[in-house]
Amino acid sequence: MNRQIRRLGVAMVMLFVILFAAVNYLQVYGASGLANNSANPRTIVQSFAIHRGEILAADGRTVLAKSVDTGRKLRFQRRYPQGPLYAHTTGFFSLKCGISRLESTYNDYLDASSNDLLGSTLSDLILNRPKRGASVITTIDPKLQQIAFQELQRAAPNGGAVVATNPSTGAVEAMVTIPQYDPNELVQPNLRRQAHACTRLTDAASDPLLSNATDQLYPPGSTFKLVTLSAALENGMTLQSTVPNPSELPLPQTRLKLHNFGGEHCAGGAPRITLEEALIESCNVAFGGLGLKLGPQALFDQATAYGFDRHVPFDIPFSEGHFPAPSEFNDRQPAVAFSAIGQFDVGANPLAMDLVTSAIANGGVEMEPHLVREIRGPDGQVLKSFGPSVFGQPISPQTSRDMTRAMVEVVDSPNGTGSAARIPGVTVAGKTGTAQTSSGAPHAWFTCFAPAENPQIAVTVVVLNGGNLSSDATGGRVAAPVARAVIEAALGRR
């Protein structure tokens, strides 16, 4: 009997030890995890008890996101006064759908958890007022944003995107995408409707929560010829170097042939063509042959120098662009020719291509793109500023000058494909692109900067699946007018 009592006593002691250890773990070691668990009701209520800071446009007046006092248990609810216009920049702060984009990246400032806000947080505590977050001032110009959206909406019923940056600083001055969504649906007080909106947007076939400007990748078509020409110039060729100019390019290892757009024969049928004229006329045959001559390694090296397949620092999620590794071309030589003209497995989005264009405009120096200019405390004091930062130098200053000269002729030359981007009194340097797809009409691209002699703005446009011209669409006809309108606005011509 005594042995059984001893065993029972030992078992009871062990149970108390286990219970004591569990309680201490939960209260000490596990406290942080419990506090930060998104399913913790107390944490949820506390996060909505904070007066989150505003997100503002570059003018410091246009409010992109703010908090309003509802007087309910979840006291401060987020509101987005501009609706869908900035949704893919601000993201959302939603109970049912989570947190995204700038709301997520700068959450520690917006919700006052940053150490930079300890002073104001202490003041809020002493004065018994709600904790106040800092404001995030973006680089977005509201005038450019509005015009970019209006022009894209007119041209791109099937979807598309526009990105405009300052080549010398990397500041993103406009970034719009279609399709859009209204982030106010994801922060509405009715939580059941909020959850329904989250499910509907997440499951939509058009992926409205993803940005065509930064998230999705598309074949860049002939805009990628800027990368191919850069590789040629960086490897000893010049604008006056010539390459064969047949009416069609027989591809190695196959009976397939590469043709120019519309079956045309570039340079009036001359047997050879300069690299400058090949870019002006956007000659597929010449650039396909050039790609085979350079080889996949040179093309890959130049693409990665511009930021493809590398991490490019940015304030929100960004798919930097993709060019296949040289090993992927083993026994697939025809793919090299197609990759040189922005087809095969090459992928990009407007921000990725705009970085290429901006580097050309900026003397060969590529700046890191950024969306935020500064962060201000609740008292208006600047807590943090974000200045220009160099990403790299993908091309030499001489290559930059040569590329600029050729891109100006793309717009100004009688044979150029970018004439729709001409602006009286302004020298525009650009490149068109018409990318074949497996899903119907081609994607229409245009990338450019202006003024060419003193670049102030770089603009890249993609109009998906032909836009409002369907299968007759080209980058010059559909995308270039959108870019022209944004440049005119940026330079005060509109």
Side-chain angles (χ1 to χ4, degrees):
M1 176 67 74
N2 291 337
R3 181 180 297 175
Q4 291 177 341
I5 293 174
R6 282 198 300 270
R7 287 178 178 175
L8 179 61
V10 170
M12 293 294 291
V13 170
M14 291 181 64
L15 288 174
F16 274 114
V17 169
I18 293 172
L19 180 61
F20 179 79
V23 169
N24 275 271
Y25 174 80
L26 290 174
Q27 291 183 342
V28 180
Y29 298 103
S32 177
L34 284 172
N36 295 319
N37 192 319
S38 60
N40 186 337
R42 180 176 295 179
T43 301
I44 293 173
V45 173
Q46 288 176 346
S47 66
F48 282 87
I50 299 168
H51 191 286
R52 286 176 71 83
E54 295 180 327
I55 301 177
L56 304 170
D59 60 7
R61 299 185 304 274
T62 304
V63 179
L64 314 186
K66 66 178 182 178
S67 291
V68 296
D69 191 343
T70 65
R72 300 187 178 94
K73 185 176 182 180
L74 300 179
R75 181 172 175 181
F76 290 102
Q77 295 284 334
R78 213 60 169 151
R79 294 290 183 270
Y80 301 92
Q82 310 300 322
L85 186 58
Y86 296 88
H88 290 92
T89 298
T90 62
F92 47 79
F93 179 75
S94 165
L95 177 61
K96 294 296 184 179
C97 219
I99 184 172
S100 69
R101 303 193 185 267
L102 290 182
E103 291 275 26
S104 175
T105 304
Y106 295 96
N107 184 56
D108 58 339
Y109 282 99
L110 292 166
D111 75 352
S113 60
S114 169
N115 289 336
D116 292 342
L117 289 161
L118 285 177
S120 64
T121 298
L122 180 60
S123 297
D124 293 336
L125 180 62
I126 293 173
L127 296 174
N128 194 31
R129 64 189 178 194
K131 192 176 179 181
R132 298 170 300 158
S135 294
V136 173
I137 316 300
T138 71
T139 58
I140 299 291
D141 182 328
K143 178 179 66 175
L144 288 192
Q145 184 82 354
Q146 186 66 48
I147 288 175
F149 172 66
Q150 290 173 351
E151 294 296 320
L152 185 67
Q153 190 178 42
R154 174 190 57 78
N158 302 318
V162 178
V163 170
T165 64
N166 183 321
S168 64
T169 67
V172 178
E173 299 185 356
M175 187 169 66
V176 299
T177 182
I178 293 175
Q180 295 183 312
Y181 72 96
D182 188 349
N184 290 300
E185 293 186 63
L186 300 175
V187 296
Q188 55 185 302
N190 187 310
L191 297 184
R192 180 176 297 179
R193 292 178 181 174
Q194 188 181 123
H196 176 73
C198 180
T199 301
R200 175 173 52 80
L201 291 171
T202 302
D203 294 345
S206 60
D207 291 324
L209 295 180
L210 295 180
S211 169
N212 291 328
T214 58
D215 297 331
Q216 307 277 48
L217 294 179
Y218 304 98
S222 292
T223 58
F224 192 79
K225 290 173 183 173
L226 296 177
V227 179
T228 303
L229 181 56
S230 296
L233 298 179
E234 289 290 296
N235 282 276
M237 301 181 76
T238 71
L239 288 181
Q240 298 312 308
S241 297
T242 62
V243 292
N245 181 43
S247 59
E248 56 187 20
L249 178 66
L251 299 173
Q253 303 174 332
T254 179
R255 294 180 180 179
L256 295 176
K257 296 179 179 180
L258 178 63
H259 298 86
N260 294 317
F261 183 80
E264 297 177 354
H265 195 169
C266 294
R272 297 185 70 83
I273 187 173
T274 66
L275 294 186
E276 182 176 24
E277 186 61 32
L279 189 80
I280 292 169
E281 296 190 33
S282 199
C283 188
N284 290 340
V285 169
F287 270 91
L290 178 62
L292 290 171
K293 179 177 180 178
L294 292 170
Q297 187 67 57
L299 296 174
F300 177 81
D301 290 346
Q302 189 61 67
T304 54
Y306 275 120
F308 281 53
D309 298 293
R310 292 173 61 190
H311 172 64
V312 178
F314 194 45
D315 304 88
I316 60 176
F318 172 38
S319 297
E320 289 88 351
H322 172 67
F323 188 88
S327 60
E328 296 183 45
F329 293 101
N330 292 340
D331 301 322
R332 303 174 74 183
Q333 287 302 300
V336 178
F338 282 107
S339 295
I341 63 170
Q343 298 284 171
F344 183 52
D345 288 338
V346 181
N349 50 46
L351 182 56
M353 289 310 304
D354 204 72
L355 293 179
V356 173
T357 301
S358 292
I360 296 169
N362 197 40
V365 177
E366 185 172 329
M367 308 302 291
E368 289 183 3
H370 62 279
L371 268 171
V372 174
R373 189 183 75 206
E374 62 188 23
I375 298 174
R376 297 178 187 169
D379 59 357
Q381 180 181 358
V382 176
L383 301 177
K384 197 169 186 179
S385 295
F386 301 89
S389 182
V390 174
F391 173 73
Q393 183 163 348
I395 56 176
S396 68
Q398 182 59 52
T399 296
S400 166
R401 289 190 289 270
D402 290 342
M403 295 289 296
T404 298
R405 169 183 157 184
M407 291 173 69
V408 167
E409 290 302 308
V410 168
V411 176
D412 285 351
S413 171
N415 297 327
T417 58
S419 59
R422 292 175 187 165
I423 301 173
V426 178
T427 308
V428 179
K431 182 67 192 82
T432 57
T434 306
Q436 302 302 315
T437 70
S438 59
S439 57
H443 300 326
W445 286 81
F446 191 73
T447 187
C448 61
F449 61 90
E453 60 276 9
N454 180 29
Q456 298 176 37
I457 189 79
V459 183
T460 301
V461 179
V462 63
V463 175
L464 301 181
N465 296 123
N468 53 21
L469 292 183
S470 187
S471 60
D472 295 328
T474 63
R477 293 182 64 191
V478 178
V482 177
R484 181 189 65 216
V486 176
I487 290 176
E488 288 175 333
L491 301 182
R493 298 299 187 96
R494 187 181 178 89

